[in-house]
Structures are given as structure tokens and as C-alpha cells.
Amino acid sequence: ASRAAGLKAEALVAATVAALEIAQRGLELARTNPNYRFLVYNGSVHIYNIGRVLLRPGRRRHLVGPLKVVVAALAEAEEKDAAWRLQLATQLAYAHDDKGESDAADA
């Protein structure tokens, strides 16, 4: 967060996307290793917090990939927090819509 302070527009998007890629790698490790499956929820929270700066119209499209991974990982881990899963799925639908993928947003 401190590195992103003062970044504007495309520099902010690029830095955020780079941070999301790193967090996604950690989520993938937790997702594929049964010993770390309990960390999937924590990883989803971190990815959401990193990407929050992009949760506005015109920027959400950059979150389609990370949110797809998070939603799938939570489903695979059978996460019981339905409200959290719904919030992330809703943000994924908004991101698809922002990207112009209305068919995916409707799903």
C-alpha cells in the first residue's frame, strides 16, 4: 500500500495488477496443497484488499482474472462463508460487465 501511495491512473493499475499476480501465486499454492487449503480464505481476503482500489467503473475489468481464480478456489475448498463468496462473485460479474463480457456477467 505504501508503494502505491501517490500512483495515478495506469501506473496504479500496473502496480496493483503486479501485486495481484504475486498474491495469486500464493493462493494457487494453498489451493493445490491439501495441507494449506485452510489458507484459501485468507488469500481471498488479501487479493480482495489488494484489488479494492480497482473496484470502480472503468477499472474493474482488470480484476476478471484474479476474481475468477479466487471464486474457483473458494468453491473448490468448499468455503462455508456464503456471504463472502457471494460478494466476490458479484464483484466478478461487475468486472465482466466492465470488460464488456455481458454473457459472462449474466452467468
Side-chain angles (χ1 to χ4, degrees):
S2 63
R3 283 193 221 168
L7 292 180
K8 302 288 182 201
E10 294 307 314
L12 176 63
V13 171
T16 303
V17 168
L20 286 167
E21 289 172 358
I22 293 167
Q24 273 183 259
R25 281 187 263 159
L27 183 67
E28 284 299 322
L29 288 172
R31 182 181 184 182
T32 57
N33 188 331
N35 294 328
Y36 299 117
R37 183 72 51 103
F38 70 96
L39 292 173
V40 169
Y41 179 86
N42 294 354
S44 73
V45 172
H46 286 294
I47 288 173
Y48 180 82
N49 284 331
I50 292 167
R52 277 180 71 175
V53 70
L54 301 178
L55 289 176
R56 60 181 135 202
R59 299 280 183 206
R60 287 187 187 116
R61 68 183 185 273
H62 300 286
L63 295 174
V64 169
L67 286 173
K68 270 186 184 178
V69 169
V70 169
V71 169
L74 289 171
E76 187 178 301
E78 299 176 355
E79 175 55 47
K80 303 218 183 315
D81 189 347
W84 179 241
R85 289 175 63 181
L86 178 62
Q87 180 176 350
L88 292 170
T90 302
Q91 292 300 332
L92 177 58
Y94 286 144
H96 276 297
D97 187 54
D98 198 50
K99 196 171 182 181
E101 299 172 346
S102 56
D103 291 342
D106 292 339

